């Protein structure tokens, strides 16, 4: 083992998914000595046999040389808030990429990104910080996911698609080549996106159409 510790911020359903993947990686690579949850709203001291602690308690026993963080919250609005808090406290982010996802030196993955099992990435893909890519997505060549993007499972992005910061793409959405989806958007599940989508909107359908403004950025209500 490396002596490093992994801290998964948020112990909800997404956090448990990330914990399961981290343990799978550990069995193959021995990447972390210990894995913890940090959650300021969780009442139990453990989840799925992983300790859960509050951030305030962590700060009293931190080790900046060995501690690594990811944020496992499905809402980009909250992910941004947590990211700012951790950065201001000097925390270090890492990437978690499932071992069956092939990356090469021409792909660019920023800190805090989480890429789960079964994803297929084309050449020269750019994935921004604290972006979450769920199961079985396809990212064509030259796809750009800006910071804090969320792809739900089975999303298909054709070549040269560009997804703006903080945008959520719902399960099974398909986006044609060279389309840009703006910042802080919500694209509904199963949508077929054939033309550019502006910033700060909710859009869905086949073909995908803008339905309303995205006023608060919250996906799950």
């Amino acid at each position: 083992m490396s002596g490093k510790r992994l801290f998964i911020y948020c112990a909800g359903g997404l956090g448990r998914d990330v914990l399961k993947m981290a343990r799978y990686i550990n069995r193959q690579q021995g990447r972390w000595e210990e894995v913890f949850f940090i959650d300021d709203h969780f009442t139990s001291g453990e989840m799925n046999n992983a300790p859960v602690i509050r951030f305030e308690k962590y700060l009293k026993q931190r080790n900046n040389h060995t501690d690594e963080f990811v944020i496992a919250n499905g809402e980009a609005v909250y992910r941004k808030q947590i990211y700012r808090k951790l950065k201001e406290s000097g925390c270090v982010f890492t990437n978690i990429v499932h071992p069956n996802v092939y990356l090469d030196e021409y792909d660019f993955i920023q800190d805090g990104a989480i890429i789960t099992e079964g994803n297929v990435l084309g050449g020269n893909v750019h994935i921004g910080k604290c972006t979450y890519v769920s199961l079985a997505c396809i990212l064509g060549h030259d796809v750009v996911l800006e910071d804090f993007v969320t792809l739900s499972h089975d999303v298909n992005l054709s070549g040269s698609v560009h997804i703006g910061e903080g945008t959520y793409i719902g399960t099974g959405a398909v986006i044609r080549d060279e389309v840009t989806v703006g910042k802080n958007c919500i694209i509904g599940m199963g949508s077929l996106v054939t033309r550019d989508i502006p910033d700060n909107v909710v859009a869905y359908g086949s073909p995908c159409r803008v339905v309303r403004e995205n006023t608060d950025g919250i996906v799950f209500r």
Side-chain angles (χ1 to χ4, degrees), residues 108 126 140 160 163 168 170 182 185 213:
F108 183 67
H126 178 115
S160 300
I163 308 296
Y168 175 91
C185 292
E213 291 186 9

Side-chain angles (χ1 to χ4, degrees), residues 98-208:
H98 194 278
N100 74 3
V101 176
Y102 177 67
L103 302 172
D104 67 18
E105 65 270 29
Y106 304 107
D107 299 313
F108 183 67
I109 315 297
Q110 293 198 49
D111 290 342
I114 300 171
I115 305 176
T116 61
E117 184 176 7
N119 287 287
V120 179
L121 278 59
N124 301 90
V125 167
H126 178 115
I127 296 179
K129 66 189 178 191
C130 294
T131 283
Y132 182 80
V133 182
S134 191
L135 300 166
C137 295
I138 298 175
L139 281 62
H141 64 82
D142 300 295
V143 161
V144 175
L145 306 180
E146 293 188 7
D147 300 341
F148 305 106
V149 165
T150 304
L151 301 187
S152 193
H153 62 82
D154 293 288
V155 168
N156 191 326
L157 307 181
S158 299
S160 300
V161 165
H162 190 119
I163 308 296
E165 180 178 317
T167 284
Y168 175 91
I169 309 294
T171 298
V174 177
I175 304 180
R176 64 154 288 179
D177 56 291
E178 300 184 349
V179 162
T180 294
V181 177
K183 298 179 180 181
N184 304 315
C185 292
I186 299 173
I187 304 298
M189 63 175 61
S191 294
L192 175 61
V193 186
T194 60
R195 60 184 64 185
D196 291 353
I197 303 294
D199 295 345
N200 303 307
V201 299
V202 176
Y204 53 80
S206 180
C208 188

Side-chain angles (χ1 to χ4, degrees), residues 1-220:
M1 290 284 185
S2 66
K4 291 184 177 181
R5 303 187 300 177
L6 174 66
F7 291 85
I8 303 169
Y9 205 113
C10 296
L14 185 57
R16 296 194 301 273
D17 289 346
V18 175
L19 173 66
K20 186 174 183 178
M21 182 167 64
R23 286 172 169 166
Y24 179 80
I25 291 170
N26 250 4
R27 286 197 295 271
Q28 296 195 16
Q29 303 173 6
R31 184 170 166 186
W32 301 286
E33 190 73 32
E34 297 178 277
V35 180
F36 296 81
F37 284 116
I38 289 184
D39 198 309
D40 296 322
H41 306 286
F42 203 74
T43 56
S44 174
E46 67 89 24
M47 171 56 71
N48 289 7
N49 205 33
V52 182
I53 62 174
R54 293 179 177 270
F55 187 59
E56 181 179 349
K57 180 178 179 180
Y58 165 75
L59 290 176
K60 295 176 181 178
Q61 50 95 57
R62 66 190 299 174
N63 187 330
N64 286 344
H65 298 292
T66 60
D67 295 346
E68 299 180 333
F69 278 80
V70 291
I71 304 170
N73 190 301
E75 297 281 6
V77 171
Y78 300 140
R79 213 150 66 232
K80 289 179 185 180
Q81 294 173 1
I82 295 167
Y83 176 82
R84 286 193 292 268
K85 179 172 74 171
L86 296 181
K87 288 295 285 186
E88 289 169 0
S89 299
C91 297
V92 175
F93 287 85
T94 190
N95 300 322
I96 300 183
V97 180
H98 194 278
N100 74 3
V101 176
Y102 177 67
L103 302 172
D104 67 18
E105 65 270 29
Y106 304 107
D107 299 313
F108 183 67
I109 315 297
Q110 293 198 49
D111 290 342
I114 300 171
I115 305 176
T116 61
E117 184 176 7
N119 287 287
V120 179
L121 278 59
N124 301 90
V125 167
H126 178 115
I127 296 179
K129 66 189 178 191
C130 294
T131 283
Y132 182 80
V133 182
S134 191
L135 300 166
C137 295
I138 298 175
L139 281 62
H141 64 82
D142 300 295
V143 161
V144 175
L145 306 180
E146 293 188 7
D147 300 341
F148 305 106
V149 165
T150 304
L151 301 187
S152 193
H153 62 82
D154 293 288
V155 168
N156 191 326
L157 307 181
S158 299
S160 300
V161 165
H162 190 119
I163 308 296
E165 180 178 317
T167 284
Y168 175 91
I169 309 294
T171 298
V174 177
I175 304 180
R176 64 154 288 179
D177 56 291
E178 300 184 349
V179 162
T180 294
V181 177
K183 298 179 180 181
N184 304 315
C185 292
I186 299 173
I187 304 298
M189 63 175 61
S191 294
L192 175 61
V193 186
T194 60
R195 60 184 64 185
D196 291 353
I197 303 294
D199 295 345
N200 303 307
V201 299
V202 176
Y204 53 80
S206 180
C208 188
R209 301 183 188 280
V210 174
V211 177
R212 58 178 172 84
E213 291 186 9
N214 184 21
T215 54
D216 59 9
I218 302 300
V219 177
F220 305 103

